[in-house]
Amino acid sequence: CGMFSGGPAKLAKPTPVTAADQRVKLSTAWQARLYGGWRVDPYQATQVAVAGDRIVVGDSRGNVIALNGAGRELWRRQLDGRISAGGTIAGDRVYVGNDAGFVTALSLSQGQVLWRSALSSEVITRVVPAGDRLLAQTNDGKLWSLSAKDGAQQWSYSATIPSLSLRGAATPLADQDTVYAAFSSGELAALDARDGHLLWQVPVATPRGRTELERLVDADATPVLMGDSIIAGTYQGKLGAFNRSSGAESWSRDMSVFNPLLLANDRLYLTDAQDVLYAIDPRTGATLWRNDQIQGRGVTGPALVQGTLLVGDRAGYLFAFDPESGRRIGQARIAATGLQSAPVAFGDGALALSREGSLYRLRVARR
Amino acid sequence: CNLYRVDVQQGNVIQQQQVEQLKPGMDRGQVQELLGTPLVTDPFHPERWDYVYSFKPSYGKREQRRITVIFDASGKLLRVEGDVKPAAAPR
Amino acid sequence: FEPFTVSDIQIRGLEQTDPGTVYNYLPIKTGTLLTEEGARAAIKALYDTGFFEDVQLGREGDRLVVTVRERPTIAEISLNGVKAFPQDKLKESLKDIGLVERRVFDPATLDQIVTELERQYYGMGYYAAKIKVEVERLERNRVRIRIDVDEGQPAKIQQVNVVGNRAFPRQTLIGLFSLGKTGAFSTFTKNDQYSRQKLLGDLEKLRSYYMDRGYLDFDIESTQVTVTPDRRHVFITVNVKEGARYRVKSVSLSGQTDVPATELRKLITVQPGALFSRREVTESANAIADRLGDVGYAFANVNPVPAVDKDKHEVSFDFQVSQGRRVYVRRINVSGNNRTRDYVIRREFRQMEGAWYDASKIRRSKERVNRLGYFDEVNLETPAVPDASDQVDINVNVTERSTGQFMLGVGYSNAQGVLFNGSVTQRNFMGKGQILSASVDVSDLVKSFNLSFTEPYFTPDGISLGGDIYRTDTNTQRLIIAQYRQVTSGAAVRVGLPITEHVNDIVRLGYENTSLSLVEESPQRYKDFVATFGDNVSSVKASNTLVYDSRDSIIYPTKGWNNRLITEGTLPGGDLRYYRVELQGQYYRPITRSLTGFINAEYGFVNGYSGKGVPFFQNFYLGGPNSVRGYRTFSLGPLDPVDNVSLGGTRKVQLNTELLFPVPGMADSKSFRGSIFFDAGWVYDDKYLPSFSELRKSTGIGFHWISPLGPLRFSLAYPIGVKPGDRKEPFQFTIGTNF
Amino acid sequence: CAAGSKNKAADSATPVERLYAEAEKPYKSGNYQQAIEKFEELESRYPYGRYAEQAQLNVAYSYYKMGESAAAVAAADRFIKLHPTHSSVDYAYYLRGIAYYQAIEGAVWDPQPARNAYDSLNTVVTRFPDSRYAADARLRMAKALEILGNYELNVAKYYFTRGAFVAAAERSKTVITDYQLTPAREEALALLARSYAAMGLSDLARDTAKILAYNYPNSRFLKELKGIPLS
């Protein structure tokens, strides 16, 4: 029982991929050093934004950085306050939220600040463009709708959230005139995009247990839309599908998940809180396959790149899985510290952001 | 130089207008409500309450005022004795 | 169930409890009519005793059959894995809840314990704590209880963030918080461990910071505490809305008071036109309430009612005073003193019985009782007197500490080498508040005998009378002072006169004889002295010490001054002709709840008069554990050019600045104190103050323990600006000698 | 650093009598510390029955003999709660009383132990008048009262010397009303008279002096009241 317990336990090297399974080669095309790293494990979940040949990423010192496809920096803008969830690109605009409570709009070409709007707390999700409006969620459980033109605040919806909740939140979704948002109370809500009027609200899971910690049921996993239902998942709770217009539950199963969900070629992929990779039938919730070889490695959510499922971990490893069988078909250590968030498809590979603040352009070659 | 001595204050402070409001026939509760709880009640004279005020500055004469309230056998206010003049405002 | 008259009562299922007890608690007697409602009351009564798990009432003809199943008693409780709380405190709270060996075991208390333990752990940020309880049945209806706790690691705060601040930078605001990221002192201050109470305290500090700088409408809209899934990192977010900055428009005072309104008005420090400050408003209201409290209005209520002009951002305050009834003190009850006599405590009281309640006199009284140094704790309560709404009692409860030091032992001090000493000091002799001390010291340097007695209250008003008899035989071969032997003996009488509440003047008159014997190596100057004055001198010494002492405690001062002006001299007619003046200023100031700043500055000079020089043994000597740490005792000052020995000086200047802090782990005990210090000092002869570079300086850490053996002082000092010839001595300690 | 748990002697079921006898040896020979440990062990293994009850009483008595009055009072209280109608519950109240009595220092110290002793012994005398401890209880109650009377008188005298005559009067009155049977009453009457005189309440001073003279004709305090006319 030492007095000073060290930092997060050192992760052992993962078991190697057998030759038979080795079917994906992962390598780094280029690497760009940003300005400042995150000391926290990948729960900071800062994502990389990509549009055509443009890449926009935020570092932990509040810099918004735009690079071209070759990793050369185009421009850099310092905002006051740290960027939590990363930027988004829409048309020739970049939108970024930071922990000083500001949503800032910059021009994609030169990065001038066009406008900024002060919200009520830290902006902890990415800013989601939806037509001529922008959606974002703040740490105090509020969903905001701003005008994309000048950042004017149109409406906000605030959910009642517990005093203790999980770090992070689900990114809001928009489809035509409906906005979907999941909150740290474990509830999923649908609102009319025009005026923020609540359509329906359902608990994806209800808090259980005696202590504040056992009762955490944050719906932090970014939901996905599929057909006429929406699938959302909570920490220490449930994964469930709900009818988009009525909120009626079509299926629900026990699951503890906080990384974003991925819907691809008619399958739902996710990594749960125990770092098990699942493939689930989105219509019934049944498990198609599961892979627990990366358990305990503090993994990111899955990403589909070049037909391969990619997952990063806390030690900087990137793993490739066959989306059909779930077998591990490749892995490589690409960074000295953990990966911040799921890799983002880019060109013939992907982009991944590491904790110590480096951006990697990866090549994913399937044999 | 004279040495440091604590001033000694004792007893209830009674203002003139409090005394004026006393009316014969009042019961003990009403007198207590008006003048406050007496600090001097003689064990052998239950029929009288003594409101004694004195103030002895560390150096100087001791100033004193006294009001005695007498009740009849049935505990009703009979009369008030003592030097009834307005108490100077305290220091 | 229909009622029937009970002819007989039989109790079944009893293994341990004796039937007498059950009959006693059973509210049914034979020969009475038992109704259903009566039966239900009986069952409840038996349950309430806490002895039984199950109670059934049955009927056989007219006989009432009471079947009970006794609860097991606890044979043993084992509590393992608890590190975050002191074990005995936990056992204590288990005892309060009734979970004690030999007591009846009630399963409900077990859940209560687990919930309480979990709540405590989460309150301290131990989010990964797991608590497992096992109840093992033993024979003869007894149980053994095992409580195993796996505390895990407390979650560390990763970030404290304030959102919505415009007027002040985020860093300043976060600087106000006691919670924060892991820093250098975190293992001691535990500032990186989240706790609800600390957060509430911090939010209050944030609110005060804004409200004291004009932000009347400041509001903390919401606070969020978020934790990472692995429960190792905590983020705290505080969302604020600053609102506008307000200026004070006007201030008024209303309400009928005994104390003239003009006098009360002067106590209001809120200035029209100035920025609104909540602290100033509160302090003004308290000042008025205190002033009324000093003339009996203990329950005076001062309510600063704001009138806010939202558009012009101006606010006016009407201090509405309702002085309530004048309250008198009926009785002062002293308790806890089973060694100190009642009058020794009562005579320190400025508040009398039968007098109006005087808040500052009561505060001063508590301080004076504390300063006696006889008590670890002095608690004061002022409960109301039943059926006398205008009277209160004052209950003074003291916890006595041992004020006697009987010390026989071997000491070591750098100056005096091995020290054999025996001393009896009793600062509360016979509980009468008198101070008596007799001490004998034998060491290579000094053989001394000292007897002193003081009666602090020779007169009821506190004029003190004391006397000393002493003999000191100093032989300095081992020290680096010039070699000589000096035997001084004398007797003196002391009278202490109280000038004001904090100022005391001690007049001392004594006779002193000194005989000297020099050796070949004694410096020439000493030999000249003996030549002029002779080797046996005696004189009558008079001294006057003016003391201003407003420290809150003698043993563990945290605030207040302790200044002395000592003027001493020999009266003409004796052999020696010198006078000495010493000025000493000490100032304690609390920096935080546990940190105290301390400054000690001393200046002194000694001169001969009517043509006679200053006897060398009356010189000032500096250096050593009690003056400038890090240098050998008495080593500072001019040196004899011949044998390089310190001669002391007729002028002395000394400065000590210290940061006093409780020793970690023993924070609440009043006898341990750590310090970080900077010392400087020099003795010299010419008129001008030495330059800063000339002063010998040192810095280091110290440790002070008032042990049963007497005060122990350790210090590790790093000398600065050392000149050639200085004798350094980094580690120094003294045992038993009073500072 | 796991805290080691106490290892108990094997729970062999020695008959309770042998355990009681084992405990009685040190108890009888005055080694009360060891007796307490033995009796408490007996109680934890055989928590019910005659032996456990006697053991609880012996523990209380042992603490009393060791001078630990607080522990003795606690042990006696526990017995009273567990066995409110036990045949020797009067002894438990008595034990409680003499334990408090033991803590009395005297008339110049904390009066609380004397008050507690008086209250506990009073329970013995009122609820068990014919208990064999009642006689000794009455004696100790009288002594406790005497100490309490002297305590009040000492405080009264202190306030008189400080010139706080209202306080001195009230404290003397407490002696006269609450402790009539104690010797302090005589001097209290004198002090009350002198306090009234100092306050200028000459009629009350005269009446009080007359009562003193009447109750204590040749009281040595009469000469202190020379200034008060007795006519």
Side-chain angles (χ1 to χ4, degrees):
Chain A
C1 33
M3 265 276 280
F4 300 96
S5 77
K10 279 276 154 290
L11 281 182
K13 262 168 65 54
T15 53
V17 174
T18 59
D21 288 337
Q22 183 70 32
R23 269 195 270 107
V24 165
K25 196 170 142 329
L26 301 166
S27 58
T28 310
W30 49 260
Q31 176 187 348
R33 186 82 186 79
L34 304 179
Y35 301 90
W38 293 267
R39 275 207 317 290
V40 172
D41 296 338
Y43 312 116
Q44 201 65 20
T46 311
Q47 277 122 13
V48 181
V50 165
D53 183 30
R54 282 288 182 284
I55 305 169
V56 166
V57 73
D59 73 7
S60 80
R61 290 242 184 71
N63 293 300
V64 182
I65 304 140
L67 310 97
N68 68 11
R72 219 168 40 70
E73 180 180 307
L74 303 174
W75 49 262
R76 178 162 62 87
R77 191 70 58 213
Q78 165 76 40
L79 304 178
D80 79 337
R82 287 179 290 266
I83 293 166
S84 5
T88 36
I89 302 172
D92 67 351
R93 291 254 184 105
V94 175
Y95 300 106
V96 177
N98 70 14
D99 73 355
F102 289 102
V103 170
T104 313
L106 309 97
S107 74
L108 180 55
S109 43
Q110 275 81 31
Q112 303 99 332
V113 171
L114 305 174
W115 49 259
R116 80 174 186 170
S117 170
L119 306 188
S120 60
S121 180
E122 291 167 349
V123 182
I124 46 172
T125 66
R126 276 187 296 122
V127 179
V128 177
D132 58 2
R133 92 186 50 259
L134 303 172
L135 299 164
Q137 242 195 82
T138 50
N139 195 30
D140 52 2
K142 284 208 178 87
L143 170 67
W144 292 83
S145 164
L146 314 177
S147 133
K149 199 161 60 55
D150 56 12
Q153 291 168 11
Q154 294 159 339
W155 51 264
S156 77
Y157 168 78
S158 60
T160 44
I161 56 167
S163 62
L164 182 70
S165 65
L166 207 61
R167 186 68 183 166
T171 314
L173 297 177
D175 179 43
Q176 281 102 24
D177 286 344
T178 320
V179 174
Y180 302 95
F183 297 97
S184 54
S185 53
E187 277 151 345
L188 178 64
L191 306 102
D192 179 334
R194 287 179 297 269
D195 55 11
H197 148 68
L198 184 66
L199 302 175
W200 49 262
Q201 182 177 351
V202 288
V204 178
T206 48
R208 282 197 318 278
R210 224 188 351 234
T211 63
E212 276 177 313
L213 280 147
E214 286 163 354
R215 298 176 63 79
L216 288 175
V217 272
D218 294 43
D220 282 1
T222 305
V224 287
L225 300 174
M226 198 248 352
D228 59 2
S229 61
I230 174 170
I231 305 172
T234 79
Y235 179 63
Q236 294 185 152
K238 297 266 200 253
L239 178 74
F242 304 87
N243 176 293
R244 281 167 55 171
S245 37
S246 71
E249 180 187 290
S250 57
W251 57 263
S252 170
R253 55 176 287 179
D254 280 349
M255 180 66 76
S256 174
V257 61
F258 52 83
N259 284 322
L261 307 180
L262 174 69
L263 191 66
N265 41 48
D266 220 2
R267 286 185 173 186
L268 180 68
Y269 297 100
L270 62 88
T271 50
D272 76 359
Q274 278 71 37
D275 308 326
V276 176
L277 179 60
Y278 279 88
I280 292 171
D281 174 351
R283 265 170 295 285
T284 63
T287 306
L288 302 170
W289 52 260
R290 68 191 288 273
N291 183 322
D292 55 16
Q293 291 169 342
I294 48 171
Q295 224 168 348
R297 299 193 68 80
V299 295
T300 65
L304 192 66
V305 172
Q306 305 290 334
T308 322
L309 268 181
L310 294 181
V311 172
D313 79 355
R314 195 156 53 83
Y317 283 85
L318 196 61
F319 301 93
F321 298 88
D322 171 6
E324 288 310 321
S325 65
R327 296 183 62 73
R328 192 157 45 109
I329 52 174
Q331 73 189 23
R333 180 160 205 199
I334 57 157
T337 58
L339 293 186
Q340 263 295 334
S341 49
V344 172
F346 182 75
D348 65 351
L351 289 165
L353 183 59
S354 78
R355 203 144 54 75
E356 101 272 4
S358 301
L359 182 65
Y360 295 85
R361 163 61 164 101
L362 311 165
R363 261 193 229 90
V364 179
R366 266 189 81 103
R367 275 209 299 287
Chain B
C1 71
N2 44 33
L3 298 182
Y4 175 73
R5 267 221 299 262
V6 187
D7 50 50
V8 178
Q9 189 275 328
Q10 288 285 281
N12 304 70
V13 177
I14 305 290
Q15 310 288 21
Q16 177 58 22
Q17 74 277 26
Q18 283 169 298
V19 182
E20 277 149 12
Q21 287 163 33
L22 281 178
K23 281 191 284 314
M26 277 183 169
D27 64 24
R28 286 177 191 269
Q30 287 166 311
V31 172
Q32 180 172 7
E33 188 49 37
L34 191 57
L35 301 182
T37 317
L39 284 161
V40 176
T41 50
D42 183 73
F44 307 105
H45 295 279
E47 78 294 349
R48 69 182 268 176
W49 280 353
D50 289 275
Y51 290 90
V52 180
Y53 168 77
S54 78
F55 182 73
K56 167 84 177 61
S58 33
Y59 286 88
K61 217 175 61 45
R62 194 162 78 87
E63 164 210 351
Q64 167 152 331
R65 266 184 310 291
R66 175 181 65 87
I67 288 155
T68 304
V69 174
I70 314 279
F71 296 93
D72 62 22
S74 64
K76 292 282 181 275
L77 177 57
L78 202 56
R79 66 181 188 286
V80 177
E81 286 169 7
D83 34 30
V84 185
K85 56 180 175 12
R91 58 178 165 77
Chain C
F1 183 96
E2 352 74 24
F4 68 101
T5 40
V6 170
S7 64
D8 172 25
I9 303 175
Q10 197 202 22
I11 298 175
R12 292 199 191 118
L14 272 187
E15 281 166 44
Q16 318 278 1
T17 326
D18 79 76
T21 310
V22 182
Y23 281 117
N24 172 63
Y25 284 114
L26 197 58
I28 309 165
K29 294 295 170 274
T30 50
T32 55
L33 179 70
L34 177 60
T35 61
E36 182 175 353
E37 182 252 347
R40 214 175 297 114
I43 293 178
K44 183 178 181 312
L46 288 184
Y47 267 119
D48 284 352
T49 62
F51 296 156
F52 308 111
E53 258 166 8
D54 180 36
V55 177
Q56 304 289 346
L57 292 194
R59 179 179 172 180
E60 279 166 10
D62 278 353
R63 172 191 294 137
L64 170 67
V65 174
V66 180
T67 343
V68 288
R69 198 170 69 251
E70 284 155 318
R71 278 218 173 97
T73 42
I74 302 168
E76 187 206 328
I77 304 172
S78 73
L79 189 64
N80 341 54
V82 176
K83 292 194 283 296
F85 303 100
Q87 284 263 3
D88 44 15
K89 262 224 191 86
L90 215 48
K91 279 251 153 85
E92 205 50 46
S93 47
L94 290 183
K95 199 149 165 295
D96 300 343
I97 295 188
L99 211 57
V100 175
E101 275 131 1
R102 303 202 314 284
R103 276 290 162 67
V104 161
F105 167 64
D106 172 1
T109 55
L110 219 47
D111 303 339
Q112 222 182 335
I113 295 284
V114 174
T115 325
E116 180 52 28
L117 260 181
E118 268 171 359
R119 202 184 57 71
Q120 295 267 358
Y121 272 118
Y122 293 144
M124 287 167 64
Y126 281 81
Y127 288 141
K130 293 186 193 56
I131 296 156
K132 201 156 52 48
V133 177
E134 259 171 65
V135 180
E136 182 198 349
R137 282 228 170 244
L138 305 175
E139 79 298 352
R140 286 197 310 290
N141 196 7
R142 292 175 309 120
V143 285
R144 173 180 293 136
I145 301 170
R146 264 183 73 81
I147 302 177
D148 291 320
V149 175
D150 163 12
E151 289 182 346
Q153 275 306 323
K156 293 272 193 283
I157 293 176
Q158 185 58 36
Q159 176 187 305
V160 175
N161 187 17
V162 176
V163 179
N165 56 319
R166 301 277 177 293
F168 306 106
R170 184 193 306 188
Q171 272 328 344
T172 340
L173 298 178
I174 291 174
L176 303 170
F177 281 55
S178 65
L179 292 176
K181 280 213 289 288
T182 309
F185 288 98
S186 293
T187 33
F188 299 123
T189 56
K190 297 228 182 323
N191 70 318
D192 55 358
Q193 274 178 17
Y194 167 72
S195 104
R196 220 183 318 278
Q197 287 70 25
K198 276 193 187 164
L199 180 58
L200 294 179
D202 288 347
L203 295 182
E204 195 38 46
K205 276 190 218 147
L206 184 64
R207 186 171 291 117
S208 305
Y209 188 81
Y210 269 98
M211 298 278 245
D212 294 350
R213 287 162 178 79
Y215 291 88
L216 183 72
D217 291 341
F218 173 79
D219 177 30
I220 297 178
E221 289 186 314
S222 66
T223 357
Q224 284 83 38
V225 178
T226 53
V227 65
T228 53
D230 66 0
R231 302 185 181 185
R232 289 179 53 72
H233 301 282
V234 170
F235 295 74
I236 298 177
T237 315
V238 181
N239 312 308
V240 300
K241 196 149 168 304
E242 292 177 339
R245 213 167 195 187
Y246 280 76
R247 285 201 172 277
V248 176
K249 181 147 164 276
S250 71
V251 174
S252 58
L253 178 73
S254 61
Q256 200 269 336
T257 58
D258 249 4
V259 176
T262 50
E263 187 186 335
L264 293 181
R265 184 68 188 70
K266 279 203 233 66
L267 297 173
I268 300 179
T269 55
V270 182
Q271 295 305 339
L275 271 179
F276 157 70
S277 153
R278 181 175 71 165
R279 186 163 44 80
E280 244 177 52
V281 171
T282 329
E283 275 169 7
S284 306
N286 292 344
I288 296 173
D290 286 352
R291 180 65 190 79
L292 290 171
D294 290 353
V295 279
Y297 293 99
F299 306 121
N301 184 320
V302 182
N303 183 5
V305 175
V308 182
D309 177 337
K310 284 260 189 236
D311 350 337
K312 290 217 221 61
H313 302 316
E314 282 176 345
V315 59
S316 305
F317 284 96
D318 177 21
F319 284 79
Q320 291 172 357
V321 180
S322 62
Q323 66 180 3
R325 290 194 77 114
R326 172 166 263 135
V327 174
Y328 296 87
V329 171
R330 182 185 65 152
R331 280 170 73 93
I332 298 177
N333 303 311
V334 178
S335 65
N337 54 326
N338 38 38
R339 208 154 40 71
T340 314
R341 292 169 190 247
D342 180 277
Y343 62 80
V344 172
I345 297 169
R346 201 174 290 274
R347 68 187 178 191
E348 294 298 333
F349 256 70
R350 296 312 187 212
Q351 169 76 46
M352 298 284 171
E353 287 182 356
W356 68 48
Y357 174 97
D358 180 330
S360 45
K361 276 206 168 107
I362 293 172
R363 245 193 326 275
R364 183 63 196 134
S365 307
K366 179 177 182 191
E367 217 176 83
R368 285 185 70 91
V369 172
N370 231 322
R371 277 170 51 79
L372 287 172
Y374 304 157
F375 310 113
D376 270 336
E377 238 177 280
V378 177
N379 292 325
L380 231 63
E381 280 163 27
T382 50
V385 170
D387 63 51
S389 64
D390 60 348
Q391 285 187 354
V392 289
D393 282 347
I394 299 181
N395 295 338
V396 187
N397 184 281
V398 293
T399 343
E400 286 180 315
R401 81 186 270 132
S402 77
T403 55
Q405 270 159 352
F406 176 73
M407 198 180 64
L408 257 178
V410 175
Y412 175 78
S413 126
N414 314 91
Q416 309 191 20
V418 179
L419 197 76
F420 297 97
N421 49 43
S423 83
V424 175
T425 326
Q426 174 48 266
R427 291 207 339 277
N428 185 1
F429 182 61
M430 307 267 290
K432 288 185 168 156
Q434 296 158 343
I435 303 157
L436 172 74
S437 98
S439 71
V440 173
D441 290 285
V442 175
S443 76
D444 307 349
L445 170 70
V446 176
K447 292 172 187 51
S448 79
F449 158 78
N450 190 314
L451 178 69
S452 96
F453 175 78
T454 312
E455 161 54 76
Y457 275 81
F458 183 63
T459 71
D461 289 323
I463 296 175
S464 73
L465 182 67
D468 313 287
I469 298 168
Y470 54 89
R471 180 180 183 289
T472 323
D473 176 353
T474 319
N475 197 324
T476 62
Q477 279 86 351
R478 277 199 58 261
L479 264 184
I480 23 84
I481 303 181
Q483 307 309 314
Y484 64 90
R485 182 165 181 234
Q486 169 195 337
V487 177
T488 309
S489 51
V493 175
R494 281 177 276 106
V495 173
L497 308 165
I499 305 301
T500 72
E501 189 63 53
H502 291 297
V503 176
N504 232 318
D505 186 77
I506 299 154
V507 180
R508 189 169 183 278
L509 195 65
Y511 165 80
E512 190 172 272
N513 168 282
T514 306
S515 75
L516 282 155
S517 45
L518 302 183
V519 291
E520 195 29 48
E521 299 80 16
S522 309
Q524 192 47 38
R525 285 201 289 191
Y526 290 63
K527 293 177 188 150
D528 304 344
F529 173 81
V530 168
T532 50
F533 287 95
D535 58 8
N536 192 311
V537 287
S538 57
S539 54
V540 174
K541 272 204 321 193
S543 79
N544 178 62
T545 310
L546 197 61
V547 180
Y548 171 78
D549 187 346
S550 66
R551 288 173 300 172
D552 56 353
S553 147
I554 294 177
I555 307 165
Y556 198 87
T558 56
K559 67 180 186 315
W561 292 88
N562 178 20
N563 309 336
R564 264 159 230 281
L565 169 60
I566 303 158
T567 49
E568 182 191 59
T570 56
L571 301 184
D575 300 336
L576 302 178
R577 297 282 190 289
Y578 69 87
Y579 62 91
R580 170 203 308 270
V581 175
E582 275 189 66
L583 200 64
Q584 180 191 29
Q586 286 187 348
Y587 178 54
Y588 290 90
R589 181 180 159 71
I591 297 170
T592 69
R593 216 166 22 78
S594 47
L595 282 181
T596 308
F598 167 59
I599 294 177
N600 172 53
E602 285 175 36
Y603 172 74
F605 61 87
V606 53
N607 290 331
Y609 65 89
S610 65
K612 298 255 176 150
V614 173
F616 62 86
F617 52 85
Q618 289 298 346
N619 275 353
F620 292 107
Y621 292 96
L622 267 188
N626 296 338
S627 57
V628 183
R629 283 161 280 205
Y631 295 89
R632 277 191 66 172
T633 305
F634 299 164
S635 68
L636 299 187
L639 304 177
D640 184 306
V642 170
D643 52 19
N644 213 346
V645 154
S646 156
L647 293 167
T650 56
R651 300 274 182 281
K652 150 179 120 169
V653 67
Q654 175 186 333
L655 177 73
N656 312 79
T657 50
E658 286 192 45
L659 185 65
L660 303 171
F661 52 88
V663 173
M666 291 171 253
D668 44 19
S669 101
K670 284 269 191 295
S671 340
F672 294 91
R673 227 175 187 177
S675 84
I676 301 167
F677 58 83
F678 169 78
D679 291 351
W682 187 245
V683 284
Y684 55 99
D685 289 309
D686 45 39
K687 284 197 293 310
Y688 321 100
L689 278 171
S691 66
F692 188 73
S693 64
E694 233 181 327
L695 288 180
R696 290 320 186 263
K697 300 169 277 298
S698 74
T699 178
I701 50 166
F703 177 73
H704 178 201
W705 174 29
I706 305 163
S707 76
L709 264 173
L712 266 66
R713 304 183 72 80
F714 298 82
S715 58
L716 186 60
Y718 173 74
I720 313 170
V722 176
K723 299 280 186 307
D726 286 353
R727 292 171 186 75
K728 289 187 292 184
E729 193 172 74
F731 178 70
Q732 293 169 327
F733 67 93
T734 54
I735 298 180
T737 48
N738 295 20
F739 183 66
Chain D
C1 343
S5 75
K6 293 204 300 274
N7 45 33
K8 286 296 254 181
D11 250 333
S12 59
T14 44
V16 69
E17 293 87 1
R18 210 153 55 72
L19 199 51
Y20 186 82
E22 229 177 86
E24 220 172 10
K25 270 204 285 321
Y27 180 66
K28 286 256 178 342
S29 65
N31 180 345
Y32 292 110
Q33 184 58 42
Q34 215 209 348
I36 290 175
E37 273 144 30
K38 282 264 178 277
F39 280 126
E40 284 188 341
E41 197 197 328
L42 179 145
E43 221 200 307
S44 85
R45 305 228 323 267
Y46 302 92
Y48 290 94
R50 215 161 39 72
Y51 289 99
E53 288 146 21
Q54 192 53 42
Q56 284 156 11
L57 284 176
N58 295 351
V59 163
Y61 185 72
S62 303
Y63 276 125
Y64 167 67
K65 289 301 274 180
M66 287 163 60
E68 301 204 11
S69 40
V73 167
D77 280 342
R78 205 165 82 76
F79 181 87
I80 293 167
K81 185 202 183 240
L82 282 175
H83 316 287
T85 59
H86 194 282
S87 57
S88 30
V89 77
D90 60 336
Y91 176 62
Y93 279 107
Y94 174 70
L95 253 184
R96 218 169 92 90
I98 57 174
Y100 275 128
Y101 191 86
Q102 188 183 43
I104 296 176
E105 283 292 330
V108 198
W109 288 279
D110 183 353
Q112 202 49 40
R115 287 198 191 100
N116 297 342
Y118 181 85
D119 297 341
S120 307
L121 293 169
N122 199 19
T123 323
V124 174
V125 168
T126 44
R127 280 180 52 188
F128 314 92
D130 42 31
S131 140
R132 56 192 170 87
Y133 305 106
D136 182 54
R138 278 193 201 85
L139 268 177
R140 288 174 188 261
M141 282 166 67
K143 196 72 182 81
L145 269 190
E146 197 182 310
I147 288 171
L148 288 170
N150 283 334
Y151 174 79
E152 292 292 330
L153 181 63
N154 287 335
V155 176
K157 284 201 263 183
Y158 168 75
Y159 279 119
F160 190 84
T161 49
R162 290 307 300 266
F165 302 117
V166 168
E170 266 311 292
R171 283 276 180 170
S172 336
K173 186 184 106 178
T174 314
V175 176
I176 295 162
T177 51
D178 300 0
Y179 305 101
Q180 300 95 333
L181 309 175
T182 71
R185 183 165 183 271
E186 179 186 353
E187 192 173 357
L189 279 168
L191 195 63
L192 182 59
R194 284 168 66 207
S195 304
Y196 282 146
M199 284 194 271
L201 298 169
S202 36
D203 47 4
L204 288 180
R206 192 189 60 248
D207 295 352
T208 317
K210 270 200 241 147
I211 294 166
L212 173 65
Y214 174 75
N215 286 297
Y216 305 87
N218 37 40
S219 155
R220 54 190 162 86
F221 300 105
L222 279 176
K223 57 183 177 350
E224 288 171 9
L225 309 179
K226 275 197 300 320
I228 305 167
L230 282 185
S231 61

